[in-house]
Structure formats: structure tokens, C-alpha cells
Amino acid sequence: MKALLVLGALNAALAVICGAFGAHGLKARVDAALLDTWATASEYHFYHALGLLLVGVLAKQFGSTGMVTAGWILFAGMLVFSGSLYVLVLSGQRWLGAVTPLGGTALIIGWLWLAWSLYKAA
């Protein structure tokens, strides 16, 4: 539970850093479409960093290992989804776009896992 809270806080900071880098550092280096891709990555990164904080609090409140599992699935999905988009923009390797949906799928599974864990705990 504590690990999810720490990861959530660190990733929230990292998402802000990545968002600022995209808005200021990449503006003159990549085209508008890639800037949009970066913005999507940092937006989802930030949402799911906040989600990790929420899951950490809920897991502590309910003492649920299912919620902890949901948090780790969300973390993995965030790494794959946002990470693949960040690397795609920085490297120009378009094939990474094929990896991104795997991260999105993990995000969906993580939220559904959390919903199921909340249902069982309440």
C-alpha cells in the first residue's frame, strides 16, 4: 500500500515534468502530431498517478490485497501506455504505437480489478 502511494506521488511529479518538457522543450523539435502524442502520454500519466494514490488510500482503508494488485496493474499499464508514447516521440520509432494498446488494456484491467475488489470489500 505504501509503495503505491509513493509511486503515485513520484509519478505525479514525473507527469508534470514530462508535460512541461513537452510544452517547452519539444515544441521546436517535433511536429504538431507528435506533440499531441506527447500530451496524451503525459495526460494519461498524470491521471493514473492520481489513480495510484487513490488505490493506495483505498487499499489501506480496506486492507485489500485485490486493491493492491489493481494498483500494480495500473502502474504497469501506465508504464507501458505512457512510456511507449514518450519513447515513440523521442525516438521516432513508430512501431512503438503497436505496444501502446497493451498498456491501455492493462489500465482498463486495473480499473476493473479495483471495481471488483471494492465490490467484494464493501
Side-chain angles (χ1 to χ4, degrees), residues 1 54-64 67 118 121:
M1 292 171 253
L54 172 67
V55 172
V57 169
L58 289 171
K60 186 172 176 73
Q61 175 71 28
F62 289 100
S64 168
M67 291 178 204
L118 285 166

Side-chain angles (χ1 to χ4, degrees), residues 32-60:
L34 287 176
L35 280 178
D36 285 344
T37 300
W38 187 276
T40 297
S42 61
E43 185 177 347
Y44 274 72
H45 189 176
F46 193 70
Y47 292 151
H48 288 87
L50 293 176
L52 283 179
L53 289 169
L54 172 67
V55 172
V57 169
L58 289 171
K60 186 172 176 73

